[in-house]
Amino acid sequence: MFGRNRREFELSEPDIADACCDFIANRLGCMPQDVLVQLTFSDEDGFGAEITVRGIREKPMQQLDLIDAIQEYVADRERFRGGDSGVTHVELQFAEHRGVYAIVQFL
């Protein structure tokens, strides 16, 4: 998934959910495993995520929050691998058979 020589790759729906769990956990001071994420998409509202922390429903994530979460997730993993964790462009996509996924590009 995260290759140093690759300038573009895809993140699957489970990877995006993991990114959201890390993002919310960092902001609320809990563990990522305390966070449940349900990714959403509609033509009217775009992309988002329903968030539950330790059984309590939190404010939903909006599309820009998802992009921030993915950018942080990718940057953290690239730093761990010793790669360039520079600026990324994230394009969220939805396909009926795949659910929500993201195209990530290093700029």
Side-chain angles (χ1 to χ4, degrees):
M1 172 175 50
F2 299 100
R4 290 186 191 145
N5 296 326
R6 294 181 67 187
R7 303 306 299 162
E8 179 178 297
F9 58 93
E10 290 185 13
L11 283 183
S12 67
E13 190 166 276
D15 291 326
I16 296 170
D18 287 347
C20 293
C21 288
D22 289 350
F23 185 82
I24 295 298
N26 285 336
R27 275 138 188 87
L28 297 181
C30 63
M31 300 297 293
Q33 51 269 43
D34 294 334
V35 181
L36 295 175
V37 173
Q38 177 64 49
L39 297 174
T40 60
F41 172 77
S42 74
D43 290 329
E44 297 83 33
D45 299 325
F47 296 93
E50 298 296 323
I51 304 297
T52 305
V53 178
R54 296 184 195 118
I56 299 171
R57 186 170 220 141
E58 296 289 333
K59 178 182 172 198
M61 292 177 73
Q62 303 300 316
Q63 185 164 325
L64 290 177
D65 299 322
L66 293 178
I67 291 169
D68 288 345
I70 291 166
Q71 288 175 326
E72 286 183 18
Y73 183 81
V74 169
D76 286 347
R77 275 133 190 91
E78 282 299 305
R79 275 192 293 273
F80 177 76
R81 291 174 53 90
D84 179 12
S85 60
V87 177
T88 55
H89 171 75
V90 176
E91 183 179 335
L92 294 169
Q93 300 282 319
F94 176 80
E96 196 66 41
H97 64 284
R98 295 179 66 185
V100 176
Y101 64 100
I103 308 295
V104 179
Q105 297 174 323
F106 288 99
L107 305 177

